[in-house]
Amino acid sequence: MKKLAHAHTAPYQQVVRVRIVLDAAHGYSNARIALRQQVHLDTVRRWRGRYADRGIDGLKDRPRSGRPPRFTPVQRAEITALACQLPAETGTPLSRWSSTDLAAEAVGRGIAEAMSASTVRRILAADVLKPWQHASWIFIRDPDFATKAARVLGLYQRLWDGQPLPGNEYVISADEKTSIQARCRCHPTLPPGTARMMRVNHDYDRGGALAYLAAYDVHQARVFGRCSPKTGIVPFMDLVEQVMTREPYASARRVFWVVDNGSSHRGKAAADRLTARFPNAVMVHTPVHASWLNQVEIFFSIVQRKVVTPNDFTGLDQVEDRLIAFERRYNETARPFRWKFTPADLEDLMARIERHEQKERHIQQPAGCGHQPAALQATT
């Protein structure tokens, strides 16, 4: 108890009650204790009496009933069920629910006579529901997704067709980061100061845009980049030329180029063009809509965070200089990315997709983007 009486992190009321009991143990009168602890005389009597009856447990707060709940479990369940429906399915002309919209909808449906948005948020918090948020996703449509993805993942583990890659074979991940704009702010960017973050003026003048092409050696953690006014076959082949004409790639047995399905390196024609120019180069495509399998995208995300955002460039020359300087800085300390998506994860993903397709097989949707919300289907 003495330790609790001098605790700095315990609840204040608990500390005062312990001190009252300790003062009583030292022989102080109730009036003296009230004066020492700056509490009412009745407070001293209450806690001394409870301690005498129940000991240290008597100093704890007794259970309180609180205000009776205003909404029944059925009403709370109806709010939760409503939040789990898309607004279009209920005929409401909204893209997603807000807590205010849900409260108004609940009143309009007669679920409750009155309900506040904060009450809706508390009800939904019990199930960790936030219908006002959304995340986009894309469903796998490439029929050869598993085969193509497994090939790329194997290269990241230095495997090709199940065989280990020797030391004179390399894996390059390449792509383009398009439309990097030279935005010249109308007022200079202000550095951070005391109790002030860096300030960037919202207004800017456009100074054009360029593309940044990069080839990333997956296992050596080295980036080779170049800037171009636009993307296309010629800029991409210039990047290939930049890499393949230097060692160790020029004399390598094979150099695998992992690319997505962008127009400058799409399909068999691009693979044949690469091999014709450099016989030791092998182009490997990621599945359609699966650029996240391309490790160079991680490097581009670093560029976006550290170089491009926020930006204040007077012209494209300054943008190019900054990108190339950052590339040199990055290569000085770069380490290979710890790629965590393995072939075992791929098998698990394909199994989950198969289970999903089995559940949805009875719903026959036309190819492409022929889906319509339920509310619109009812009116067509």
Side-chain angles (χ1 to χ4, degrees), residues 198-230:
M198 181 175 69
R199 302 182 66 187
V200 182
N201 183 238
H202 179 73
D203 294 331
Y204 57 86
D205 293 326
R206 297 180 183 272
L210 53 74
Y212 178 50
L213 295 84
Y216 174 73
D217 189 321
V218 172
H219 301 112
Q220 305 298 321
R222 184 166 180 81
V223 177
F224 306 94
R226 63 187 298 114
C227 295
S228 173
K230 59 182 180 179

Side-chain angles (χ1 to χ4, degrees), residues 154-176:
L155 287 174
Y156 292 164
Q157 296 181 332
R158 296 197 62 82
L159 296 172
W160 180 252
D161 291 336
Q163 300 298 319
L165 297 182
N168 62 342
E169 294 190 342
Y170 301 89
V171 179
I172 299 292
S173 173
D175 201 4
E176 307 95 347

Side-chain angles (χ1 to χ4, degrees), residues 8 15 32 45 79 89 133 158 170-171 184 194 235 254 263 285 296 301 309 318 321 370 373:
H8 295 284
V15 172
R32 182 62 177 168
R45 294 193 184 102
I79 293 297
E89 294 177 352
Q133 297 182 357
R158 296 197 62 82
Y170 301 89
V171 179
C184 183
T194 303
R254 283 184 299 187
S263 59
H285 288 94
V296 74
S301 71
T309 306
Q318 190 177 10
D321 292 343

Side-chain angles (χ1 to χ4, degrees), residues 359-365:
K359 292 180 180 179
E360 300 294 328
R361 197 154 289 166
H362 65 283
I363 302 177
Q364 299 294 329
Q365 293 291 350

Side-chain angles (χ1 to χ4, degrees), residues 16-48:
V16 170
R17 296 167 191 173
V18 171
R19 289 178 179 177
I20 289 173
V21 173
L22 291 177
D23 283 350
H26 285 90
Y28 290 106
S29 65
N30 287 353
R32 182 62 177 168
I33 295 173
L35 183 62
R36 282 171 55 85
Q37 303 302 330
Q38 297 182 352
V39 296
H40 196 274
L41 184 61
D42 291 341
T43 302
V44 177
R45 294 193 184 102
R46 179 187 308 115
W47 294 113
R48 288 191 64 176

Side-chain angles (χ1 to χ4, degrees), residues 54-332:
R54 301 184 56 196
I56 191 66
D57 290 338
L59 301 183
K60 298 178 181 179
D61 289 330
R62 291 176 177 174
R64 300 179 181 180
S65 61
R67 188 184 72 176
R70 294 181 55 191
F71 302 100
T72 66
V74 173
Q75 290 175 310
R76 300 170 69 90
E78 288 179 333
I79 293 297
T80 302
L82 181 61
C84 291
Q85 288 183 288
L86 295 175
E89 294 177 352
T90 66
T92 305
L94 297 172
S95 61
R96 50 183 170 166
W97 294 113
S98 69
S99 55
T100 304
D101 295 326
L102 284 169
E105 186 73 11
V107 174
R109 290 178 173 227
I111 296 176
E113 294 183 0
M115 181 173 290
S116 65
S118 59
T119 298
V120 170
R121 284 194 294 270
R122 285 193 296 270
I123 293 174
L124 299 183
D127 294 311
V128 200
L129 289 175
K130 298 178 181 179
W132 43 87
Q133 297 182 357
H134 79 282
S136 61
W137 63 286
I138 186 168
F139 194 79
I140 294 174
R141 292 189 295 171
D142 193 327
D144 299 323
F145 179 90
T147 302
K148 295 178 180 178
R151 188 176 301 164
V152 173
L153 296 178
L155 287 174
Y156 292 164
Q157 296 181 332
R158 296 197 62 82
L159 296 172
W160 180 252
D161 291 336
Q163 300 298 319
L165 297 182
N168 62 342
E169 294 190 342
Y170 301 89
V171 179
I172 299 292
S173 173
D175 201 4
E176 307 95 347
K177 183 173 178 60
T178 61
S179 189
I180 301 178
Q181 298 186 38
R183 296 176 177 177
C184 183
R185 306 291 170 173
C186 297
H187 294 278
T189 298
L190 300 178
T194 303
R196 186 195 72 194
M197 67 181 69
M198 181 175 69
R199 302 182 66 187
V200 182
N201 183 238
H202 179 73
D203 294 331
Y204 57 86
D205 293 326
R206 297 180 183 272
L210 53 74
Y212 178 50
L213 295 84
Y216 174 73
D217 189 321
V218 172
H219 301 112
Q220 305 298 321
R222 184 166 180 81
V223 177
F224 306 94
R226 63 187 298 114
C227 295
S228 173
K230 59 182 180 179
T231 61
I233 295 175
V234 174
F236 177 74
M237 291 304 297
D238 289 342
L239 175 68
V240 174
E241 184 94 14
Q242 176 182 339
V243 176
M244 296 299 295
T245 54
R246 68 174 66 196
E247 295 296 343
Y249 311 105
S251 59
R253 180 171 177 266
R254 283 184 299 187
V255 180
F256 296 92
W257 283 75
V258 178
V259 296
D260 61 15
N261 295 273
S263 59
S264 56
H265 37 71
R266 179 190 301 159
K268 186 177 183 300
D272 293 341
R273 184 168 53 247
L274 177 67
T275 305
R277 179 66 183 87
F278 297 99
N280 63 336
V282 180
M283 182 172 287
V284 180
H285 288 94
T286 63
V288 177
H289 297 318
S291 293
W292 54 272
L293 282 172
N294 206 350
Q295 286 199 24
V296 74
E297 299 296 342
I298 305 176
F299 173 72
F300 282 152
S301 71
I302 297 173
V303 171
Q304 182 67 37
R305 295 193 309 270
K306 293 191 173 185
V307 181
V308 179
T309 306
N311 56 12
D312 189 359
F313 300 112
T314 57
L316 291 178
D317 290 342
Q318 190 177 10
V319 177
E320 183 171 355
D321 292 343
R322 181 78 61 83
L323 289 169
I324 300 304
F326 176 78
E327 180 184 311
R328 290 195 295 266
R329 175 189 175 95
Y330 180 84
N331 284 333
E332 290 174 358

